[in-house]
Short mmCIF file of all heavy atoms in Angstrom, two decimals:
data_model
loop_
_atom_site.label_atom_id
_atom_site.label_comp_id
_atom_site.label_asym_id
_atom_site.label_seq_id
_atom_site.Cartn_x
_atom_site.Cartn_y
_atom_site.Cartn_z
N ALA A 46 -21.39 -84.17 -16.78
CA ALA A 46 -22.59 -83.36 -17.07
C ALA A 46 -23.74 -84.38 -17.24
O ALA A 46 -23.56 -85.53 -17.54
CB ALA A 46 -22.46 -82.57 -18.36
N PRO A 47 -25.02 -83.90 -16.98
CA PRO A 47 -26.15 -84.81 -17.23
C PRO A 47 -26.18 -85.30 -18.64
O PRO A 47 -25.76 -84.57 -19.61
CB PRO A 47 -27.36 -83.91 -16.95
CG PRO A 47 -26.86 -82.83 -16.02
CD PRO A 47 -25.41 -82.67 -16.47
N LEU A 48 -26.60 -86.51 -18.88
CA LEU A 48 -26.50 -87.12 -20.22
C LEU A 48 -27.18 -86.27 -21.33
O LEU A 48 -26.61 -86.21 -22.38
CB LEU A 48 -27.17 -88.52 -20.16
CG LEU A 48 -26.36 -89.57 -19.42
CD1 LEU A 48 -27.10 -90.97 -19.42
CD2 LEU A 48 -24.96 -89.77 -20.04
N PRO A 49 -28.40 -85.65 -21.06
CA PRO A 49 -28.93 -84.91 -22.16
C PRO A 49 -28.06 -83.74 -22.70
O PRO A 49 -28.16 -83.29 -23.85
CB PRO A 49 -30.25 -84.31 -21.50
CG PRO A 49 -30.64 -85.32 -20.53
CD PRO A 49 -29.29 -85.81 -19.93
N LYS A 50 -27.12 -83.25 -21.83
CA LYS A 50 -26.23 -82.11 -22.24
C LYS A 50 -25.33 -82.65 -23.39
O LYS A 50 -24.87 -81.79 -24.16
CB LYS A 50 -25.39 -81.64 -21.07
CG LYS A 50 -26.11 -81.25 -19.82
CD LYS A 50 -26.98 -80.04 -20.03
CE LYS A 50 -27.62 -79.58 -18.71
NZ LYS A 50 -28.61 -78.55 -18.94
N PHE A 51 -25.09 -83.96 -23.48
CA PHE A 51 -24.22 -84.51 -24.48
C PHE A 51 -24.87 -84.59 -25.85
O PHE A 51 -24.30 -84.94 -26.84
CB PHE A 51 -23.66 -85.89 -24.07
CG PHE A 51 -22.70 -85.79 -22.98
CD1 PHE A 51 -23.02 -86.05 -21.66
CD2 PHE A 51 -21.30 -85.46 -23.20
CE1 PHE A 51 -22.13 -85.97 -20.64
CE2 PHE A 51 -20.40 -85.41 -22.21
CZ PHE A 51 -20.76 -85.65 -20.91
N LEU A 52 -26.21 -84.25 -25.87
CA LEU A 52 -26.95 -84.16 -27.09
C LEU A 52 -27.23 -82.69 -27.46
O LEU A 52 -27.90 -82.37 -28.42
CB LEU A 52 -28.25 -84.92 -27.08
CG LEU A 52 -28.10 -86.40 -26.98
CD1 LEU A 52 -29.50 -87.14 -26.84
CD2 LEU A 52 -27.30 -87.05 -28.10
N ASN A 53 -26.77 -81.80 -26.53
CA ASN A 53 -27.04 -80.38 -26.74
C ASN A 53 -25.74 -79.66 -26.91
O ASN A 53 -25.05 -79.87 -27.91
CB ASN A 53 -27.84 -79.86 -25.53
CG ASN A 53 -28.48 -78.49 -25.77
OD1 ASN A 53 -28.24 -77.88 -26.86
ND2 ASN A 53 -29.21 -77.94 -24.84
N ALA A 54 -25.31 -78.85 -26.00
CA ALA A 54 -24.10 -78.05 -26.09
C ALA A 54 -22.85 -78.94 -26.25
O ALA A 54 -21.86 -78.55 -26.89
CB ALA A 54 -23.95 -77.12 -24.95
N LEU A 55 -22.88 -80.17 -25.50
CA LEU A 55 -21.71 -81.04 -25.61
C LEU A 55 -21.83 -82.08 -26.71
O LEU A 55 -21.06 -83.05 -26.74
CB LEU A 55 -21.45 -81.65 -24.23
CG LEU A 55 -21.25 -80.68 -23.11
CD1 LEU A 55 -21.02 -81.41 -21.76
CD2 LEU A 55 -20.05 -79.69 -23.38
N GLY A 56 -22.86 -81.89 -27.55
CA GLY A 56 -23.08 -82.87 -28.66
C GLY A 56 -23.10 -82.11 -29.99
O GLY A 56 -22.52 -81.00 -30.14
N MET A 57 -23.73 -82.72 -30.99
CA MET A 57 -23.64 -82.20 -32.39
C MET A 57 -24.22 -80.75 -32.45
O MET A 57 -23.60 -79.92 -33.21
CB MET A 57 -24.50 -83.13 -33.33
CG MET A 57 -23.85 -84.47 -33.53
SD MET A 57 -22.26 -84.36 -34.29
CE MET A 57 -21.77 -86.04 -34.34
N PRO A 58 -25.30 -80.35 -31.81
CA PRO A 58 -25.73 -79.03 -31.93
C PRO A 58 -24.75 -77.99 -31.40
O PRO A 58 -24.44 -76.97 -32.01
CB PRO A 58 -27.07 -78.97 -31.12
CG PRO A 58 -27.52 -80.37 -31.06
CD PRO A 58 -26.27 -81.24 -31.09
N GLY A 59 -24.11 -78.34 -30.31
CA GLY A 59 -23.12 -77.50 -29.72
C GLY A 59 -21.82 -77.39 -30.56
O GLY A 59 -21.23 -76.31 -30.75
N MET A 60 -21.45 -78.53 -31.19
CA MET A 60 -20.28 -78.52 -32.09
C MET A 60 -20.60 -77.64 -33.26
O MET A 60 -19.73 -76.90 -33.76
CB MET A 60 -19.94 -79.95 -32.50
CG MET A 60 -19.63 -80.89 -31.32
SD MET A 60 -18.29 -80.40 -30.31
CE MET A 60 -19.14 -79.76 -28.83
N THR A 61 -21.80 -77.82 -33.83
CA THR A 61 -22.25 -76.99 -34.97
C THR A 61 -22.13 -75.50 -34.64
O THR A 61 -21.62 -74.71 -35.39
CB THR A 61 -23.67 -77.32 -35.41
OG1 THR A 61 -23.74 -78.70 -35.65
CG2 THR A 61 -24.10 -76.54 -36.60
N ALA A 62 -22.70 -75.13 -33.53
CA ALA A 62 -22.68 -73.71 -33.05
C ALA A 62 -21.22 -73.21 -32.81
O ALA A 62 -20.88 -72.15 -33.34
CB ALA A 62 -23.49 -73.56 -31.79
N TYR A 63 -20.47 -73.96 -32.16
CA TYR A 63 -19.09 -73.58 -31.83
C TYR A 63 -18.23 -73.36 -32.99
O TYR A 63 -17.60 -72.28 -33.16
CB TYR A 63 -18.52 -74.62 -30.81
CG TYR A 63 -17.13 -74.35 -30.30
CD1 TYR A 63 -16.95 -73.66 -29.02
CD2 TYR A 63 -15.97 -74.70 -30.96
CE1 TYR A 63 -15.70 -73.43 -28.48
CE2 TYR A 63 -14.74 -74.48 -30.38
CZ TYR A 63 -14.60 -73.80 -29.16
OH TYR A 63 -13.35 -73.57 -28.67
N PHE A 64 -18.14 -74.37 -33.82
CA PHE A 64 -17.18 -74.25 -34.98
C PHE A 64 -17.85 -73.39 -36.08
O PHE A 64 -17.08 -72.67 -36.82
CB PHE A 64 -16.92 -75.65 -35.49
CG PHE A 64 -16.05 -76.49 -34.58
CD1 PHE A 64 -16.51 -77.53 -33.91
CD2 PHE A 64 -14.74 -76.06 -34.33
CE1 PHE A 64 -15.80 -78.22 -32.98
CE2 PHE A 64 -13.98 -76.76 -33.39
CZ PHE A 64 -14.45 -77.87 -32.74
N GLY A 65 -19.14 -73.34 -36.22
CA GLY A 65 -19.72 -72.42 -37.23
C GLY A 65 -19.43 -70.97 -36.89
O GLY A 65 -19.08 -70.21 -37.69
N LEU A 66 -19.65 -70.64 -35.64
CA LEU A 66 -19.35 -69.28 -35.19
C LEU A 66 -17.88 -68.92 -35.28
O LEU A 66 -17.48 -67.93 -35.84
CB LEU A 66 -19.90 -69.02 -33.79
CG LEU A 66 -19.66 -67.57 -33.28
CD1 LEU A 66 -20.48 -66.54 -34.09
CD2 LEU A 66 -19.97 -67.52 -31.77
N LEU A 67 -17.08 -69.79 -34.64
CA LEU A 67 -15.63 -69.41 -34.48
C LEU A 67 -14.82 -69.62 -35.75
O LEU A 67 -14.02 -68.75 -36.12
CB LEU A 67 -15.03 -70.20 -33.36
CG LEU A 67 -15.63 -69.98 -31.98
CD1 LEU A 67 -14.92 -70.73 -30.86
CD2 LEU A 67 -15.68 -68.50 -31.62
N ASP A 68 -15.07 -70.69 -36.52
CA ASP A 68 -14.26 -70.96 -37.70
C ASP A 68 -14.82 -70.29 -38.92
O ASP A 68 -14.01 -69.92 -39.78
CB ASP A 68 -14.18 -72.48 -37.96
CG ASP A 68 -13.07 -73.17 -37.09
OD1 ASP A 68 -13.02 -72.80 -35.92
OD2 ASP A 68 -12.33 -73.93 -37.64
N VAL A 69 -16.12 -70.21 -39.06
CA VAL A 69 -16.68 -69.53 -40.21
C VAL A 69 -16.98 -68.04 -39.96
O VAL A 69 -16.72 -67.19 -40.79
CB VAL A 69 -18.03 -70.31 -40.67
CG1 VAL A 69 -18.59 -69.59 -41.92
CG2 VAL A 69 -17.70 -71.73 -40.96
N GLY A 70 -17.55 -67.79 -38.77
CA GLY A 70 -17.96 -66.42 -38.47
C GLY A 70 -16.76 -65.52 -38.05
O GLY A 70 -16.79 -64.34 -38.21
N LEU A 71 -15.73 -66.16 -37.47
CA LEU A 71 -14.51 -65.44 -37.07
C LEU A 71 -14.88 -64.17 -36.27
O LEU A 71 -14.51 -63.01 -36.64
CB LEU A 71 -13.63 -65.05 -38.28
CG LEU A 71 -13.21 -66.27 -39.14
CD1 LEU A 71 -12.55 -65.68 -40.41
CD2 LEU A 71 -12.23 -67.10 -38.34
N PRO A 72 -15.58 -64.30 -35.14
CA PRO A 72 -16.01 -63.13 -34.33
C PRO A 72 -14.83 -62.38 -33.72
O PRO A 72 -13.85 -62.96 -33.27
CB PRO A 72 -16.91 -63.73 -33.30
CG PRO A 72 -16.43 -65.08 -33.13
CD PRO A 72 -15.93 -65.54 -34.45
N LYS A 73 -15.01 -61.06 -33.62
CA LYS A 73 -14.04 -60.23 -32.88
C LYS A 73 -14.80 -59.45 -31.82
O LYS A 73 -15.98 -59.07 -32.01
CB LYS A 73 -13.37 -59.30 -33.81
CG LYS A 73 -12.51 -59.99 -34.88
CD LYS A 73 -11.77 -58.99 -35.78
CE LYS A 73 -12.58 -58.43 -36.90
NZ LYS A 73 -12.98 -59.48 -37.89
N ALA A 74 -14.11 -59.28 -30.70
CA ALA A 74 -14.72 -58.55 -29.56
C ALA A 74 -15.29 -57.23 -30.06
O ALA A 74 -14.66 -56.48 -30.83
CB ALA A 74 -13.71 -58.33 -28.48
N GLY A 75 -16.54 -56.95 -29.59
CA GLY A 75 -17.14 -55.72 -29.98
C GLY A 75 -18.09 -55.78 -31.17
O GLY A 75 -18.86 -54.83 -31.47
N GLU A 76 -18.02 -56.87 -31.92
CA GLU A 76 -18.92 -57.03 -33.08
C GLU A 76 -20.30 -57.45 -32.69
O GLU A 76 -20.51 -57.99 -31.58
CB GLU A 76 -18.30 -58.10 -34.05
CG GLU A 76 -17.07 -57.58 -34.76
CD GLU A 76 -16.62 -58.54 -35.86
OE1 GLU A 76 -16.68 -59.79 -35.73
OE2 GLU A 76 -16.21 -58.00 -36.95
N THR A 77 -21.22 -57.20 -33.57
CA THR A 77 -22.64 -57.57 -33.35
C THR A 77 -22.92 -58.88 -34.04
O THR A 77 -22.78 -59.00 -35.31
CB THR A 77 -23.60 -56.46 -33.84
OG1 THR A 77 -23.38 -55.31 -33.07
CG2 THR A 77 -25.06 -56.90 -33.68
N VAL A 78 -23.43 -59.80 -33.27
CA VAL A 78 -23.79 -61.13 -33.77
C VAL A 78 -25.28 -61.29 -33.66
O VAL A 78 -25.87 -61.10 -32.56
CB VAL A 78 -23.08 -62.27 -33.04
CG1 VAL A 78 -23.54 -63.63 -33.46
CG2 VAL A 78 -21.58 -62.17 -33.15
N VAL A 79 -25.97 -61.71 -34.73
CA VAL A 79 -27.35 -62.02 -34.70
C VAL A 79 -27.53 -63.48 -34.98
O VAL A 79 -26.89 -64.06 -35.92
CB VAL A 79 -28.20 -61.17 -35.73
CG1 VAL A 79 -29.62 -61.62 -35.84
CG2 VAL A 79 -28.09 -59.67 -35.43
N VAL A 80 -28.40 -64.14 -34.22
CA VAL A 80 -28.66 -65.57 -34.46
C VAL A 80 -30.17 -65.86 -34.47
O VAL A 80 -30.94 -65.34 -33.58
CB VAL A 80 -27.94 -66.44 -33.38
CG1 VAL A 80 -28.39 -66.02 -31.98
CG2 VAL A 80 -28.25 -67.89 -33.63
N SER A 81 -30.65 -66.51 -35.47
CA SER A 81 -32.09 -66.90 -35.53
C SER A 81 -32.22 -68.26 -34.84
O SER A 81 -31.27 -69.00 -34.63
CB SER A 81 -32.58 -66.90 -36.97
OG SER A 81 -31.77 -67.74 -37.80
N GLY A 82 -33.45 -68.61 -34.52
CA GLY A 82 -33.72 -69.80 -33.82
C GLY A 82 -32.94 -69.80 -32.44
O GLY A 82 -32.35 -70.74 -31.98
N ALA A 83 -32.95 -68.60 -31.85
CA ALA A 83 -32.06 -68.32 -30.72
C ALA A 83 -32.35 -69.23 -29.51
O ALA A 83 -31.36 -69.44 -28.71
CB ALA A 83 -32.12 -66.86 -30.35
N ALA A 84 -33.47 -69.70 -29.34
CA ALA A 84 -33.79 -70.49 -28.16
C ALA A 84 -33.64 -71.97 -28.42
O ALA A 84 -33.77 -72.80 -27.52
CB ALA A 84 -35.21 -70.23 -27.62
N GLY A 85 -33.27 -72.31 -29.62
CA GLY A 85 -33.10 -73.72 -29.99
C GLY A 85 -31.75 -74.22 -29.66
O GLY A 85 -30.89 -73.51 -29.11
N ALA A 86 -31.50 -75.49 -30.07
CA ALA A 86 -30.28 -76.17 -29.57
C ALA A 86 -29.05 -75.42 -30.05
O ALA A 86 -28.06 -75.17 -29.30
CB ALA A 86 -30.26 -77.61 -30.01
N VAL A 87 -29.01 -75.13 -31.37
CA VAL A 87 -27.81 -74.47 -31.95
C VAL A 87 -27.76 -72.98 -31.50
O VAL A 87 -26.71 -72.47 -31.05
CB VAL A 87 -27.76 -74.59 -33.46
CG1 VAL A 87 -26.64 -73.81 -34.07
CG2 VAL A 87 -27.61 -76.04 -33.85
N GLY A 88 -28.88 -72.32 -31.60
CA GLY A 88 -28.96 -70.90 -31.34
C GLY A 88 -28.49 -70.52 -29.96
O GLY A 88 -27.76 -69.53 -29.75
N GLN A 89 -28.94 -71.28 -28.94
CA GLN A 89 -28.56 -70.94 -27.56
C GLN A 89 -27.09 -71.02 -27.33
O GLN A 89 -26.50 -70.31 -26.55
CB GLN A 89 -29.35 -71.74 -26.56
CG GLN A 89 -29.19 -73.22 -26.64
CD GLN A 89 -29.99 -74.04 -25.60
OE1 GLN A 89 -29.54 -74.37 -24.54
NE2 GLN A 89 -31.26 -74.21 -25.96
N THR A 90 -26.43 -71.92 -28.02
CA THR A 90 -24.99 -72.06 -27.88
C THR A 90 -24.25 -71.01 -28.65
O THR A 90 -23.27 -70.46 -28.19
CB THR A 90 -24.55 -73.51 -28.34
OG1 THR A 90 -25.14 -74.50 -27.53
CG2 THR A 90 -23.03 -73.67 -28.26
#
């Protein structure tokens, strides 16, 4: 991937989003998820 991606989805912001949603949020199919700062590094992921 291009190097900047490793500071975005493949870096700390992406890890924050991924584990925060999946490990803390525990989403299930069909649920409604709302995210603020949606266009930012964490929000978009």
Side-chain angles (χ1 to χ4, degrees):
L48 290 177
K50 306 292 183 190
F51 290 97
L52 295 178
N53 195 358
L55 300 181
M57 292 298 177
M60 302 302 102
T61 302
Y63 183 92
F64 291 110
L66 178 68
L67 299 185
D68 276 46
V69 181
L71 302 172
K73 295 183 281 291
E76 290 190 318
T77 295
V78 175
V79 174
V80 56
S81 55
V87 173
Q89 60 181 263
T90 298

